[in-house]
Amino acid sequence: MLALIAAFMVFVDGTIVNLTLAQLASHLHASRSELEWAVNAYTLSFAAVMLGAGAITDTLGAKRVFVAGLLVFTASSAVCAAATSMLVLNFARLVQGAGSALLLPSVLVLATASATDEQARNRLVGWWAAAGGVGMAAGPLLGGALVALANWRAVFAVNVVIGIPAAFWSVRSMPTTARGSRRLDIAGMSCATALIGGLVFALVQAPAQGWLSPAVIIAAALTVTGLVGFVWAERSTRAPLLPPGVYADRRFVATAVQGALFNFAFYGLLFAMSLMLQQGRELSALVSGLLFLPLTGLISIGSICAAPLARRIGRPAVLGIGQAVLATTFLAVAWASTSSSLWLLVLALVPAGFSSGLLVPTMTSQSIAAVEPALHGAASAVFNTSRQIGAAIGVAAFGPLLGATHNLSEGFIVCVVVGAAATAVALLLTALTRRATVAAAPRGSLNAQAPCATSAHDTPDNLPERA
């Protein structure tokens, strides 16, 4: 039960904050770039720490890492709820994302520790994954309801209400796990954090401060330094965060890029649509949250259908269909947003949600299938990190594209068209990868399913599939 609660909390906080943006702009006088950081600070630290979170769990023990992550998450949520400025709020969101990244792999290890066989283990992972998916889907609606009933502070305060008793419960009832012998790649983790942080900071601040501003130049230099340092660190250590066997396969690299493109479009849409509905159309937070349901709610249904479809027609076909539908649907959303009727927008969001649900688990399975079993954990960590980076870049890019407050409708259309273009690029990668795989693999091998990946690096995107 505690594992389900933790997975729900982590993923609900990835989407719930979108419904607070209008109030943050009003109550804390937030600029557009500060609103982007309210979303991106969480995603940024989540991505940076997630890359090494599995190794941290293996080294220090799952219970220790889980309790530490939960305390960090709860304490930073309290700071968010009490924040009196966007600087304090966004710094706390940065810490909150790091706590979430520590929670995910550790709670999965703890959740499956009591499993007596592989079937029971897969069932536990399935429940854990479903809880994360429900959290992601419920985020906008829950955020809208809390903002409507109280204000934006309630969105963060609810984490404290849940987190404190959960921390006591975990200390008293969770099984203790032994420490592992794996060494931590501290240099690689530090350089990866510098690389990701510098890149996202430059992209978020450049539109507001200019590309030649001192802060942006320093961030760009930090990005380059982090990249060079990461390459050097990975080549120098015996236990790299990014083993060579992971990125040596072109199929894996293509799938990681597709994951980043998907999150770029999807999370950018969440950000832009929230501001368009609340500031552009002046709808309440609750009504806006309800309008997100066709998009986020259908993800769960699409995820359930992904594995049976992949067994029937193959993963590349599911990816191609899902990406084609999503790209087309983005254009439909752009058209529907020009109408005064909200029903057209609701109808356009339904296939967007369903196709997104098809894509996420299928891409995850495709990334795992591209590498040997010994690298499944590392592949899952890298793939999910690439997705989080894509999400951060999407929010950073869609902020300036959305335009000024008085021109949100036109800006929203531009954002959605860019999202459609990113999805079309992912579709092109699917076609190119499929052609290369057909040329290199035996006939019929494309329909093979990857074994269920349930390592410490798995996230709720890894919905279990039976071989």
Side-chain angles (χ1 to χ4, degrees), residues 42 91 100 120 259 274 301 404 454:
Y42 183 88
F91 179 78
S100 296
S274 175
I301 298 176
T454 55

Side-chain angles (χ1 to χ4, degrees), residues 76 99 119 124-125 132 193 198 222 317 352 416:
S76 57
Q119 184 176 1
L124 288 170
V125 172
T193 300
L222 184 64
V416 178

